[in-house]
């Protein structure tokens, strides 16, 4: 009788200790035909440090599976092992959730890195200029390039398989546009309108360029496959906004005396302050091929020719 009373007293003591812990456990019964989540309030593992709790599936028609959980500290539980296609994930200190996406790595987009490509104009319109002024901004495509330095990225997963999501970020885009006609640059006339500017024909012009710098903000959707592999093929597409930070012309030449000179002219050249690009890329692991097309005109309305830059290149992500 004394032994029975002692055991009963010990049981009451342990039960009182367990009642001091308050938490919520979510159980997902995957063995049933449909999802059944039970919310069990006011329940938490009351085991002390270095003790373990075992959860065993004992259904006779199922292969037995076991989940072992070690009670480590007040900060949460440590997962030791799990059964078929299911795991327990600790979310903070007070929530344990059964999860089906075991084996899928966290979604991480491909934006941060360096891109290099060639740039040219399309959908041009010089109808407001005379016949002698047509195509004065035609580019030397082989020597006109764009470099993108993508420095910040935030990836937002949208599906349970962690292979499709939204990417936003921040970067810098530098364009160096080399004019096809080395002896013709651009300037603003008395009406603040972009006009061709003819250089001294006796100068030996080495380089004649128009340079721009933008702060870029992308909004991209990206899909990755196969979902379970670390090195994946990915396709992304979306829009990229650009805020113009700087623009200038630069002419490198030798004058009549044979002296090397550099003429630089920094101005906004009636460029619109904000541009919008549509962008797309396809890649594998850290390498990709990308392209972009600028939806907005390069210059303000009636202040310059209608020009829409497009780019195509390769990139490396970090």
């Amino acid at each position: 009788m004394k032994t029975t009373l002692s055991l009963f007293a010990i049981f009451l003591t342990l039960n009182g200790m367990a009642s001091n812990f308050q938490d919520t456990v979510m159980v997902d019964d995957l063995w049933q035909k449909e999802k059944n989540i039970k919310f069990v309030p006011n329940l938490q593992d009351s085991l002390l440090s270095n003790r373990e709790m075992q959860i065993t599936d004992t259904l006779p028609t199922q292969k037995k599976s076991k989940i072992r959980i070690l009670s480590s500290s007040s900060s949460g539980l440590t997962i030791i092992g799990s059964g078929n296609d299911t795991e327990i994930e600790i979310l903070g200190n007070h929530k344990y959730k059964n999860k089906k996406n075991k084996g899928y790595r966290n979604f991480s987009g491909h934006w941060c890195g360096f891109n290099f490509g060639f740039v040219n104009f399309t959908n041009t319109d010089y109808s407001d200029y005379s016949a002698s002024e047509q195509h004065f901004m035609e580019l030397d495509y082989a020597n006109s390039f764009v470099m993108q330095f993508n420095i910040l990225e935030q990836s937002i997963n949208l599906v349970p398989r962690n292979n499709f999501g939204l990417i936003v970020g921040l970067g810098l885009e530098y364009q160096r546009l080399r004019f096809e006609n080395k002896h013709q640059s651009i300037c603003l006339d008395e009406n603040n309108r972009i006009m061709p500017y003819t250089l001294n024909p006796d100068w030996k012009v080495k380089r004649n360029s128009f340079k721009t710098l933008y702060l870029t903000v992308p909004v991209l959707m990206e899909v990755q496959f196969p979902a379970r592999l670390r090195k994946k093929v990915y396709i992304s597409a979306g829009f990229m906004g650009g805020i113009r930070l700087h623009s200038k012309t630069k002419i490198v030449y030798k004058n009549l005396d044979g002296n090397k000179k550099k003429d630089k002219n920094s101005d906004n050249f009636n460029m619109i302050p904000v541009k919008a690009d549509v962008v797309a890329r396809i890649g594998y692991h850290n390498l990709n091929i990308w392209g972009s097309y600028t939806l907005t005109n390069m210059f303000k309305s009636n202040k310059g020719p209608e020009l829409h830059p497009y780019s195509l290149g390769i990139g490396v992500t970090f």
Side-chain angles (χ1 to χ4, degrees):
M1 183 64 178
K2 291 182 178 181
T3 302
T4 302
L5 292 175
S6 299
L7 291 174
F8 183 71
I10 293 173
F11 173 79
L12 292 178
T13 302
L14 293 176
N15 188 51
M17 292 175 59
S19 64
N20 292 330
F21 296 90
Q22 304 294 325
D23 212 328
T24 299
V25 177
M26 296 200 314
V27 181
D28 191 350
D29 298 327
L30 299 179
W31 51 268
Q32 295 189 359
K33 293 183 179 180
E34 60 183 21
K35 192 171 183 180
N36 180 22
I37 298 180
K38 302 175 183 178
F39 295 89
V40 185
N42 304 325
L43 179 63
Q44 184 181 8
D45 172 24
S46 60
L47 297 177
L48 300 177
S49 179
N50 300 323
R51 300 293 298 278
E52 71 175 46
M53 174 178 68
Q54 293 188 353
I55 303 174
T56 304
D57 178 9
T58 58
L59 290 177
T61 59
Q62 298 283 340
K63 181 179 178 180
K64 291 185 178 181
S65 60
K66 180 184 292 185
I67 300 174
R68 293 201 305 139
I69 305 174
L70 292 186
S71 176
S72 57
S73 65
S74 60
S75 62
L77 301 176
T78 303
I79 304 301
I80 298 300
S82 62
N84 299 331
D85 195 30
T86 184
E87 64 178 301
I88 292 180
E89 180 185 16
I90 307 305
L91 303 177
N93 297 339
H94 303 291
K95 190 174 182 181
Y96 314 100
K97 183 180 179 181
N98 187 291
K99 188 176 176 183
K100 295 183 182 179
N101 61 350
K102 179 184 176 182
Y104 301 112
R105 295 179 175 272
N106 292 336
F107 176 77
S108 178
H110 296 81
W111 167 255
C112 283
F114 171 75
N115 296 331
F116 177 87
F118 294 97
V119 60
N120 205 348
F121 296 133
T122 187
N123 294 334
T124 60
D125 184 3
Y126 291 85
S127 58
D128 292 336
Y129 293 86
S130 65
S132 61
E133 298 168 340
Q134 294 293 305
H135 306 292
F136 64 87
M137 288 198 66
E138 186 173 350
L139 300 181
D140 176 5
Y141 180 72
N143 289 294
S144 300
F145 63 79
V146 55
M147 294 189 294
Q148 296 176 345
F149 305 89
N150 304 327
I151 52 180
L152 294 178
E153 173 188 322
Q154 179 64 48
S155 301
I156 304 171
N157 180 52
L158 298 177
V159 296
R161 290 168 62 90
N162 295 346
N163 70 327
F164 178 74
L166 177 70
I167 303 171
V168 294
L170 199 66
L172 292 172
E173 180 181 85
Y174 168 77
Q175 295 180 350
R176 190 199 72 178
L177 311 178
R178 183 72 59 80
F179 293 122
E180 178 70 22
N181 187 346
K182 290 184 177 181
H183 283 82
Q184 189 167 265
S185 185
I186 59 174
C187 65
L188 296 175
D189 65 6
E190 62 276 7
N191 297 318
N192 201 32
R193 184 165 170 259
I194 291 290
M195 294 295 293
Y197 164 59
T198 302
L199 308 180
N200 190 325
D202 295 327
W203 289 352
K204 294 182 179 180
V205 180
K206 185 177 182 180
R207 292 188 296 272
N208 184 5
S209 306
F210 180 46
K211 302 180 179 182
T212 63
L213 180 65
Y214 290 91
L215 177 70
T216 57
V217 180
V219 179
L220 307 174
M221 304 298 292
E222 179 173 299
V223 60
Q224 305 170 353
F225 51 91
R228 291 184 182 271
L229 297 183
R230 182 172 67 88
K231 297 182 179 180
K232 305 173 184 178
V233 175
Y234 59 90
I235 299 174
S236 65
F239 298 94
M240 182 178 74
I243 302 174
R244 189 186 61 83
L245 301 178
H246 184 66
S247 55
K248 71 177 181 180
T249 58
K250 181 179 179 180
I251 306 168
V252 180
Y253 64 95
K254 288 185 179 181
N255 60 15
L256 296 177
D257 298 328
N259 297 323
K260 186 176 181 180
K261 299 288 184 178
K262 294 181 181 179
D263 286 350
K264 300 178 182 180
N265 181 23
S266 297
D267 202 295
N268 62 21
F269 294 98
N270 286 323
M271 298 181 68
I272 61 173
V274 178
K275 69 168 184 168
D277 294 356
V278 58
V279 297
R281 66 187 64 199
I282 180 172
Y284 172 73
H285 194 35
N286 292 330
L287 298 176
N288 66 76
I289 299 173
W290 64 275
S292 69
Y293 171 76
T294 302
L295 300 172
T296 52
N297 186 20
M298 192 172 189
F299 299 106
K300 296 177 181 178
S301 179
N302 300 321
K303 293 297 184 179
E306 183 171 349
L307 303 173
H308 295 267
Y310 70 91
S311 303
L312 183 65
I314 59 174
V316 179
T317 58
F318 306 137

